[in-house]
């Protein structure tokens, strides 16, 4: 409860973790607010069906609040002038010169605040790809402020969890992105760092995942717990194994 | 797609994206010409005009996605790929939208390569194939008999289905093929100024106009499923040439600290939204070698679905390198999308090169010629070793030292 998990990928695609967390939390009966900035709803729906959860059903019973970034961006850019005055678009920062993400935060907060009739267990905020916000024009400080406000609202007040995906690269020249990623690394309770293998492409091992439990945040003078596994992604699940012990080798 | 789900989609209105899974009962509506469904993710695939590129991309270009080509130094070969994409659209009967700030789109369309008639070319291919096979069966391997049962390696990735056509670059496409094709063009210097309907979004005005034009075409021609009356569904192929170059009014290619580094990425984000919700596919060529700020290219890569980089040997030292004497350049596949699934169809060959024969452009696996030289000189051997180092696969270079150890 109240945990901030950072999903970080380097030289590979870590979106399988996002799909996993989405179906995991929906199956656990939590109320999920999913900010999907990069892909369409059907993409997540089809993958979730393979993993055993139906997103349309979850949306209908109010368990899932889905913000489809691409669609609301289009509505904002090409939409007609008749916006309801009380409901600004969550991606307001795109069209206005104010570069803060307040509208997005308000959207998250209103969707996760429990109203009396809900019986869901803790709220969860899932963000697919924070790096997109930087690409589209938000300042890095604005993004960090947004995450900070979300943590205050979701983790502390509502005792919920947050899971955020970012891209990073060791020799990346994108300094703003690295700034955001480093800052988030320091604040998170759990980091899942997915990397492509240093030796290149392999058919049987798609990459390695480093699980870092930030025990050092609890001020007990213990170092962080780091575990490393390698993984292979299949159609409906992902298999994890110790380094060097993939099924192809054994 | 939006077509197959039209029955249910009409009830849901325009919210249906083009990423709907095809109905399990097969297609009640006629399949769209020039497409085939993908086995992996159920999306409709288009051919890019080059069958070897289709194989490299995992079967083809999925409807609703964006293919980004990083141009080679002089833009020659990326232009060829661009024309192949459009030519394939003409042959399959798709609608075209060509946008350019460099040449007038009508001139681009006049220079499309002519399609090769299926029977003559495939006969040639088939003859070569059978000739090679008959030789093989005659001699079983005597020395390398362990390798007898391994599959024969194909130099150029091919698929056996009749999807995708071959084109003859030495001939122009005849105008009769264009008769039934609806073409829309956007030539920057002839466009009127921005209409007030679209909010400028602090984007470069040329990009804003282009987006508006694309959105208008998609909406008016009903590619986003907003007009359920349309019986004959077709795909809109969008081609944008040299996006990000100086001609579009963007200075990311000419200065280290550009005025607005977000214009191009904002454009790509909105374009992604437009593509995802319509029956269209887009090819964009970007002069990546000119962009000084590499952060922009990283962001652009993240926002596109497929990214292919071309590196030609013209003017570089590799032109005379004996290793590469058969090829004209290298192909780097930087990204393949994972659509509707956890995995993607990554091809096994990572070292790809292209060559432009007299009539044909192909992408092949890079073969090193055998090292038959008797040279004793260290210099040439070191150079070969250095070039061999570059053949390591995408994710990381092998740790080979510079010195060539001679035993």
């Amino acid at each position: 409860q109240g945990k901030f998990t950072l999903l970080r990928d380097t030289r590979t695609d870590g979106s399988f973790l996002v799909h996993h967390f989405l179906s995991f939390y929906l199956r656990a009966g939590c109320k999920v607010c999913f900010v999907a900035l990069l892909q369409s709803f059907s993409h997540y729906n089809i993958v979730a069906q393979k993993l055993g959860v139906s997103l349309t059903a979850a949306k209908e019973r109010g368990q899932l609040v889905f913000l489809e970034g691409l669609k609301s961006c289009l509505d904002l850019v090409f939409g007609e002038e008749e916006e309801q005055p009380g409901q600004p678009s969550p991606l307001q920062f795109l069209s206005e010169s104010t570069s803060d993400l307040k509208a997005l935060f308000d959207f998250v907060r209103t969707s996760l605040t429990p109203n009396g009739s809900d019986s869901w267990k803790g709220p969860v905020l899932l963000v697919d790809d924070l790096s997109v916000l930087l690409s589209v024009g938000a300042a890095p400080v604005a993004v960090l402020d947004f995450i900070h406000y979300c943590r205050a609202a979701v983790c502390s007040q509502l005792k919920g969890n947050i899971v955020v995906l970012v891209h990073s690269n060791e020799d990346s020249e994108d300094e703003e992105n690295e700034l955001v990623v480093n800052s988030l690394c320091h604040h998170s309770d759990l980091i899942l760092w997915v990397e492509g293998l240093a030796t290149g492409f392999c058919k049987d091992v798609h990459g390695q995942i480093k699980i870092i439990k930030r025990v050092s945040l609890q001020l007990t003078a213990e170092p962080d717990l780091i575990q490393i596994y390698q993984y292979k992604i299949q159609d409906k699940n992902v298999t994890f194994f110790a380094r060097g012990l993939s099924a192809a080798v054994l | 797609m939006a077509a197959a789900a039209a029955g249910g989609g009409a009830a849901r209105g325009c919210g249906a994206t083009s990423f709907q899974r095809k109905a399990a009962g097969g297609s009640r509506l006629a399949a769209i010409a020039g497409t085939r469904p993908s086995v992996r993710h159920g999306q409709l695939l288009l051919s890019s005009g080059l069958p070897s590129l289709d194989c490299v991309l995992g079967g083809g270009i999925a409807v609703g996605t964006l293919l980004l080509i990083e141009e080679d130094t002089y833009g020659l070969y990326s232009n060829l790929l661009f024309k192949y994409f459009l030519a394939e659209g003409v042959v399959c009967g798709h609608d075209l939208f060509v946008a350019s700030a460099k040449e007038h789109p009508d001139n681009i369309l006049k220079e499309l390569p002519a399609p090769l008639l299926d029977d003559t070319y495939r006969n040639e291919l088939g003859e070569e194939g059978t000739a090679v096979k008959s030789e093989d069966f005659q001699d079983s391997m005597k020395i390398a008999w362990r390798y007898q049962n391994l599959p024969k390696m194909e130099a150029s990735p091919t698929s056996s289905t009749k999807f995708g056509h071959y084109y003859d670059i030495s001939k122009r496409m005849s105008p009769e093929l264009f008769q039934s094709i609806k073409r829309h063009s956007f030539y920057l210097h002839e466009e009127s100024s921005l209409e007030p309907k679209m909010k400028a979004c602090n984007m470069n005005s040329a990009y804003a106009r282009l987006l508006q034009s694309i959105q208008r075409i998609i909406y008016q021609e009903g590619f986003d499923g907003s007009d359920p009356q349309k019986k004959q569904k077709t795909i809109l192929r969008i081609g944008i040439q040299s996006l990000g170059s100086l001609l579009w009014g963007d200075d990311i290619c000419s200065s280290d600290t550009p005025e607005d580094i977000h214009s191009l990425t904002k454009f790509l984000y909105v374009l992604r939204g437009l593509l995802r919700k319509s029956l269209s596919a887009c090819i964009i060529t970007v002069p990546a070698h000119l962009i000084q700020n590499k952060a922009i290219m990283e962001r652009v890569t993240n926002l596109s679905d497929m990214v292919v980089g071309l590196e030609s040997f013209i003017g570089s030292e590799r032109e005379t390198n004996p290793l590469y004497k058969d090829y004209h350049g290298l192909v780097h596949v930087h990204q393949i999308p994972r659509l509707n699934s956890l995995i993607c169809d990554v091809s096994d060959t990572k070292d790809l090169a292209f060559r432009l024969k007299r009539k044909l452009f192909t992408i092949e696996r890079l073969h090193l010629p055998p090292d038959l030289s008797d040279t004793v000189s260290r210099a040439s051997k070191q150079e070969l070793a250095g070039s061999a180092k570059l053949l390591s696969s995408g994710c990381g270079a092998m740790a080979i030292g510079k010195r060539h150890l001679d035993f």
Side-chain angles (χ1 to χ4, degrees), chain A residues 13 37-39 42-43 46-47 50 69 74 76 78 134-136 172-174 176 200-201 203 233, chain B residues 17 19 198-199 215 262 265-266 269 272-273 276 294-295 298-299 338 340-343 348 350 395:
Chain A
D13 188 11
L37 295 171
L38 210 49
Q39 300 280 10
S42 337
H43 166 84
I46 294 177
V47 183
K50 287 189 188 160
L74 283 183
L76 179 68
F78 295 114
L134 288 171
S135 310
V136 183
S172 156
E173 293 202 11
D174 192 350
E176 293 182 352
F201 168 73
K203 232 180 1 164
I233 307 179
Chain B
T17 62
F19 268 32
M198 173 177 155
K199 305 174 190 151
Q215 191 265 346
H262 296 293
T265 39
K266 272 193 217 174
Y269 190 68
R272 192 187 173 106
R276 285 286 196 272
K294 295 298 166 202
E298 287 176 19
R299 293 178 179 180
R338 291 170 195 234
N340 297 346
S341 123
L342 290 172
I343 36 184
D348 275 347
K350 296 286 173 190
C395 291

Side-chain angles (χ1 to χ4, degrees), chain A residues 201-203, chain B residues 345-351 365 393:
Chain A
F201 168 73
C202 171
K203 232 180 1 164
Chain B
D345 276 323
V346 185
S347 103
D348 275 347
T349 48
K350 296 286 173 190
D351 303 312
R365 180 199 285 244
S393 25

Side-chain angles (χ1 to χ4, degrees), chain A residues 70-110:
Chain A
L70 292 172
K71 194 155 81 85
S72 44
C73 173
L74 283 183
D75 289 337
L76 179 68
V77 170
F78 295 114
E80 316 294 310
E81 296 298 329
E82 4 125 344
E83 269 172 23
Q84 301 97 329
Q87 275 190 28
S89 162
L91 296 181
Q92 195 89 25
F93 69 98
L94 277 179
S95 67
E96 289 177 1
S97 49
T98 56
S99 67
D100 61 46
L101 298 170
K102 184 167 188 309
L104 190 56
F105 167 67
D106 288 333
F107 172 83
V108 168
R109 193 182 41 180
T110 42

Side-chain angles (χ1 to χ4, degrees), chain B residues 133-238:
Chain B
K133 275 216 182 86
S134 54
E135 279 172 29
D136 262 6
F137 276 119
Q138 274 151 24
D139 35 38
S140 55
M141 301 190 186
K142 295 247 172 51
I143 298 176
W145 48 274
R146 284 269 182 215
Y147 294 107
Q148 181 84 47
N149 296 326
L150 286 181
K152 183 159 176 2
M153 191 167 58
E154 304 256 348
S156 142
T158 51
S159 64
S160 55
T161 58
K162 277 199 149 225
F163 171 74
H165 301 84
Y166 291 92
Y167 296 90
D168 182 355
I169 309 177
S170 52
K171 303 205 190 93
R172 297 280 161 86
M173 192 181 267
S174 59
E176 294 105 45
L177 289 170
F178 282 103
Q179 300 302 349
S180 51
I181 304 293
K182 263 208 213 146
R183 344 199 261 279
H184 312 279
S185 59
F186 179 94
Y187 184 48
L188 182 65
H189 309 296
E190 280 179 6
E191 287 293 315
S192 56
S193 66
L194 190 63
E195 287 149 34
K197 212 162 68 138
M198 173 177 155
K199 305 174 190 151
C201 282
N202 303 334
M203 211 190 300
N204 182 349
S205 75
Y207 295 157
R209 278 184 270 165
L210 177 55
L211 273 177
Q212 188 166 359
S213 179
I214 295 177
Q215 191 265 346
R216 189 170 32 98
I217 300 291
I218 290 181
Y219 179 66
Q220 279 172 0
E221 304 285 326
F223 287 107
D224 55 357
S226 57
D227 184 7
Q229 298 304 323
K230 260 186 155 352
K231 287 292 159 62
Q232 197 64 13
K233 298 261 176 191
T234 183
I235 312 271
L236 176 68
R237 286 192 183 227
I238 305 176

Side-chain angles (χ1 to χ4, degrees), chain A residues 50-70:
Chain A
K50 287 189 188 160
L51 297 177
V53 175
S54 165
L55 292 190
T56 22
K59 232 171 49 153
E60 271 159 28
R61 48 173 195 258
Q63 192 186 5
L64 171 68
V65 178
F66 194 96
L67 171 63
E68 190 169 346
L70 292 172

Side-chain angles (χ1 to χ4, degrees), chain A residues 85-219:
Chain A
Q87 275 190 28
S89 162
L91 296 181
Q92 195 89 25
F93 69 98
L94 277 179
S95 67
E96 289 177 1
S97 49
T98 56
S99 67
D100 61 46
L101 298 170
K102 184 167 188 309
L104 190 56
F105 167 67
D106 288 333
F107 172 83
V108 168
R109 193 182 41 180
T110 42
S111 50
L112 285 182
T113 333
N115 43 12
S117 57
D118 276 348
S119 59
W120 310 114
K121 301 183 201 141
V124 175
L125 168 64
L126 209 54
V127 180
D128 186 357
D129 223 342
L130 213 57
S131 314
V132 172
L133 287 176
L134 288 171
S135 310
V136 183
V141 177
V143 174
L144 289 174
D145 283 343
F146 163 71
I147 292 289
H148 179 76
Y149 271 78
C150 285
R151 285 186 68 203
V154 178
C155 292
S156 314
Q157 278 177 2
L158 302 172
K159 300 284 180 281
N161 294 341
I162 301 187
V163 181
V164 168
L165 174 71
V166 285
H167 294 301
S168 85
N169 223 346
E170 256 133 32
D171 50 355
S172 156
E173 293 202 11
D174 192 350
E175 287 164 359
E176 293 182 352
N177 193 28
E178 291 305 302
L179 180 81
V180 171
V181 172
N182 279 334
S183 172
L184 289 179
C185 275
H186 286 299
H187 289 301
S188 23
D189 299 301
L190 176 66
I191 304 179
L192 297 177
W193 191 348
V194 174
E195 292 174 289
L197 292 179
T199 44
F201 168 73
C202 171
K203 232 180 1 164
D204 300 303
V205 178
H206 290 150
Q208 88 177 11
I209 179 170
K210 220 190 268 191
I211 305 178
I212 307 177
K213 295 202 177 95
R214 304 289 314 277
V215 181
S216 55
L217 285 179
Q218 291 164 14
L219 304 173

